[in-house]
Amino acid sequence: MEIFERLEALIDAPGAESVNEARSMLHQFESVMTADAIHQFLLDLMTLVFVVDAAPQNYHAPVRKLVRIRLAMLKMLGEASA
């Protein structure tokens, strides 16, 4: 799905508007089943943006990995509910 490719791009180049952009893209998928997964993904994306802005680069990769895992879980839920 195109939306997940766009979310992956946000993980690779997080910025101040990444979270708002992700939130608006994910709004169309939100349901009772996916709401928790969406919130977890957004929280991890916010953490990534913070780490990229505030922490040394050696912390970026582990946080990106965590966000990608959340995105994979969200993608599986999205495909299951489609």
Side-chain angles (χ1 to χ4, degrees):
M1 291 184 152
E2 182 182 318
I3 189 169
F4 292 107
E5 291 169 4
R6 289 170 46 200
L7 289 169
E8 184 80 29
L10 292 177
I11 295 169
D12 290 331
E17 285 299 311
S18 297
V19 176
N20 289 334
E21 199 173 329
R23 186 177 286 122
S24 76
M25 283 189 277
L26 290 168
H27 183 68
Q28 63 184 321
F29 285 110
E30 194 162 7
S31 68
V32 173
M33 189 169 132
T34 60
D36 186 50
I38 288 171
H39 293 160
Q40 289 177 9
F41 170 77
L42 290 173
L43 180 60
D44 287 341
L45 184 59
M46 286 184 252
T47 302
L48 175 61
V49 170
F50 173 78
V51 167
V52 166
D53 285 346
Q57 192 159 0
N58 58 334
Y59 290 103
H60 298 189
V63 179
R64 273 197 175 90
K65 182 178 180 179
L66 175 63
V67 179
R68 283 194 172 90
I69 290 168
R70 296 282 193 198
L71 181 60
M73 292 170 46
L74 185 57
K75 188 174 181 180
M76 288 188 314
L77 282 173
E79 290 171 351
S81 66

